[in-house]
Amino acid sequence: MPLPNITLAGGGPVGALLAHLLARCGFSVDVFEKRPDPRTAGYEAGRSINLALAERGLHALRAAGLAEPVLALSVMMRGRMVHTGSSAPELQRYGLDDREVIWSVSRGELNKLMLDAAEAAGVRFHFGHVVEQVDFDARRLHLRDAGGGTRHHEFGLLLGADGAGSAVRTAMHHVQPLGERVEALGHAYKELEIPSRSGAGAARFAIEPHALHIWPRGGHMCIALPNPEGSFTVTLFLPGVGPYPSFATLPDAEHAADFFRTEFPDLLPLMPGFAEDFRAHPAPNLYTLYLDRWHLDGRAVLLGDAAHAMVPFHGQGMNCGLEDAVELAGLLAGDPADPATVFAEFQRRRKPNADAIAAMALENYVEMRDSVADPGYLAKRALGLRLADAVPSHFMARYRMVTFTRLPYAFAYTRGKAQDALLDELLASAGGDPQAVALDEAVALFRNRLDPLPNPPHG
Ligand code: FAD
Ligand code: 8R5
């Protein structure tokens, strides 16, 4: 039996990777992407937008032979540099050593590498083509091309990797409700920039290059991720509406600058283009998207942000979507004749994990904006570090499971809760002082109460 023709909506990171993996398995693959080709049209009007790549995303890129070229364009981030304002900034390492780091990569550069590789594997990209409607009975896509003309395309299978505002999802919903639920966070974000300096090497960076910077301020925060050429992309996270401070109470760049002068006095002088950026950039609202159903019998399936958009605070949206792509490509290649079963199995495997990372991402906002500077949190972190050293077979910080392993997100979430309860118990009996916890007792507690971890890190 010939392999079904596969049509993808969306040539973002998830669509491009999935298309590549499927083409390599011998499928005929077309991708319709609404934007122009970034390799010829340029990207985002010259803005450097970066994102954090971690083990799950890297593993997926390895499958496409792209890990090395991507890392060559990335900046290593060893941990979070916390700027409390009251004391010198301090690095909290994400992992145990330099094998456990995350990478700041330019979205545009990553996208270009992925498109080149997918095309070389035989994928046909159709840029400037917007999916407008889908006739699932006739298996026909209705598209608008760059000139405004209407086009049609017949598909065998339709894979929706067209992001959080997915047109494929909307079309599926008209045939069968997917149980869509959108939960607004109530906070929005604004992108700003620390430009690079005129020096050479590390001197080009105005602040430590090898860190993800956080300015926690309780109800809101700023973060900054480094770009290879020395600049940083800064993001302000703040409630959209409500009492000061919220975006609604910062009607113009002057009010915003006043707010920064009080809240982020060390940061404002590093951003000479603050007023211009604040005026020019939008403040998109953050939300989580949940669906009960990701597929329409054997005809269409959603993945990546189209299936499970999440808030950004664990830096896992793309990492999770790339993990989806690897899983779906493997299932389709294994059983190309039975897409209905494949799509159902894909959802069965991935949805609990998507739900878990969406929940952990919400929790990590509180951790980032508030707890990172909180003594109780730091005590727990310190005890965790002692245990990671003393019983690595039974304790691994949740952040490390999420970021540096491929243990299922749902496992990290459940295990994290169980570990947390034990840490609380130990700290309570030691008056909150992590150094006062007797290590042998702590080790015994973890060994007795928890199963050994499935995968020792780093072999
Ligand atoms: P998208 O990247 O949204 O790609 C969808 C593609 O489909 C786009 O190219 C779009 O043009 C196209 N498209 C949309 N509609 C149509 C249509 N009707 N017809 C045809 N094409 C269409 N994740 C991380 O893991 N780490 C991070 O640090 C991180 N930082 C982020 C920073 C920012 C500012 C943002 C906004 C997100 C960040 N994320 C991060 C999340 C990450 O960007 C997404 O999870 C990821 O891009 C999802 O990939 P995707 O391919 O599913 O969707
Ligand atoms: N996404 C990230 C982390 C975790 C950092 C930590 C957090 C910006 C819109 Cl907010 C955020 C993380 O726990 O110390 N790793 O990677 C990326 C993040 O935000 C991205 C850049 C972002 C959507 C704006």
Side-chain angles (χ1 to χ4, degrees):
M1 199 188 127
L3 294 173
N5 286 337
I6 293 188
T7 296
L8 267 124
V14 175
L17 182 81
L18 178 59
H20 181 169
L21 298 178
L22 290 170
R24 257 198 357 206
C25 295
F27 288 95
S28 166
V29 186
D30 289 279
V31 179
F32 292 92
E33 164 56 49
K34 78 173 171 193
R35 286 192 268 211
D37 188 338
R39 294 165 298 182
T40 49
Y43 211 83
E44 300 269 344
R47 278 170 77 189
S48 312
I49 300 294
N50 47 26
L51 32 77
L53 183 64
E55 175 55 24
R56 293 167 204 271
L58 260 178
H59 182 78
L61 293 176
R62 273 182 215 119
L66 285 172
E68 260 184 47
V70 169
L71 287 186
L73 298 174
S74 305
V75 184
M76 181 209 280
M77 299 185 288
R78 295 189 167 97
R80 42 169 90 120
M81 187 68 85
V82 181
H83 303 253
T84 56
S86 55
S87 49
E90 218 175 295
L91 182 76
Q92 293 178 7
R93 259 197 183 274
Y94 286 136
L96 296 184
D97 55 41
D98 274 3
R99 288 174 300 181
E100 296 185 337
V101 296
I102 57 176
W103 301 88
S104 178
V105 58
S106 145
R107 180 189 292 275
E109 296 305 321
L110 174 66
N111 199 218
K112 288 185 208 170
L113 284 173
M114 294 179 84
L115 295 174
D116 281 341
E119 238 168 37
V123 175
R124 290 179 297 275
F125 284 95
H126 311 269
F127 293 99
H129 281 71
V130 183
V131 174
E132 292 200 314
Q133 276 173 36
V134 187
D135 180 339
F136 286 100
D137 290 328
R139 299 203 183 214
R140 185 181 297 129
L141 275 188
H142 295 243
L143 300 145
R144 188 163 36 80
D145 66 23
T150 305
R151 300 270 292 269
H152 295 124
H153 172 83
E154 321 262 310
F155 59 86
L157 299 177
L158 178 61
L159 314 182
D162 50 347
S166 173
V168 173
R169 187 177 73 231
T170 304
M172 287 164 72
H173 189 76
H174 288 310
V175 180
Q176 183 180 39
L178 304 174
E180 178 172 328
R181 188 161 54 89
V182 173
E183 244 169 49
L185 178 67
H187 290 229
Y189 69 94
K190 175 89 78 174
E191 281 160 349
L192 304 162
E193 194 203 12
I194 301 175
S196 73
R197 297 183 158 176
S198 53
R204 294 179 72 83
F205 294 86
I207 48 178
E208 166 61 42
H210 295 295
L212 189 159
H213 294 262
I214 309 179
W215 289 260
R217 295 295 182 268
H220 54 273
M221 67 175 184
C222 279
I223 65 165
L225 274 70
N227 294 304
E229 84 286 358
S231 65
F232 290 80
T233 307
V234 175
T235 312
L236 164 68
F237 294 95
L238 189 69
V241 295
Y244 184 89
S246 67
F247 279 108
T249 62
L250 303 177
D252 52 44
E254 288 68 37
H255 285 82
D258 283 339
F259 166 63
F260 267 71
R261 261 188 286 278
T262 24
E263 287 289 277
F264 308 105
D266 55 328
L267 185 51
L268 187 61
L270 304 178
M271 302 190 290
F274 176 86
E276 213 176 291
D277 285 346
F278 197 90
R279 267 194 285 273
H281 299 166
N285 287 311
L286 294 165
Y287 59 89
T288 311
L289 167 84
Y290 307 89
L291 301 178
D292 291 336
R293 225 181 132 72
W294 290 1
H295 59 98
L296 195 62
D297 43 66
R299 288 177 283 184
V301 69
L302 301 169
L303 74 162
D305 277 16
H308 50 66
M310 64 190 75
V311 298
F313 306 107
H314 223 306
Q316 286 287 319
M318 179 183 69
N319 286 279
C320 176
L322 294 177
E323 205 172 48
D324 286 352
V326 172
E327 184 89 62
L328 183 57
L331 288 167
L332 273 169
D335 191 4
D338 189 2
T341 304
V342 163
F343 293 170
E345 176 64 9
F346 172 70
Q347 173 178 333
R348 193 191 67 77
R349 290 193 192 180
R350 290 302 296 166
K351 190 171 151 43
N353 292 313
D355 288 342
I357 186 59
M360 291 189 284
L362 281 162
E363 288 178 16
N364 211 47
Y365 190 22
V366 181
E367 178 159 330
M368 289 181 76
R369 72 186 196 213
D370 206 1
S371 317
V372 287
D374 172 74
Y377 168 84
L378 293 171
K380 212 149 143 178
R381 187 183 139 80
L383 180 57
L385 282 169
R386 290 182 75 198
L387 283 161
D389 189 44
V391 266
S393 59
H394 286 72
F395 176 85
M396 188 178 199
R398 185 176 91 178
Y399 186 92
R400 287 179 62 219
M401 289 191 264
V402 167
T403 310
F404 304 123
T405 79
R406 286 180 288 120
L407 292 168
Y409 287 123
F411 175 85
Y413 191 38
T414 313
R415 177 74 179 205
K417 280 185 195 155
Q419 292 182 164
D420 234 39
L422 296 188
L423 291 180
D424 284 338
E425 203 175 309
L426 286 166
L427 276 173
S429 63
D433 177 1
Q435 299 308 324
V437 170
L439 203 55
D440 48 348
E441 280 170 35
V443 167
L445 185 71
F446 272 76
R447 283 187 180 284
N448 292 337
R449 298 265 201 96
L450 298 177
D451 291 331
L453 288 158
N455 266 331
H458 313 303

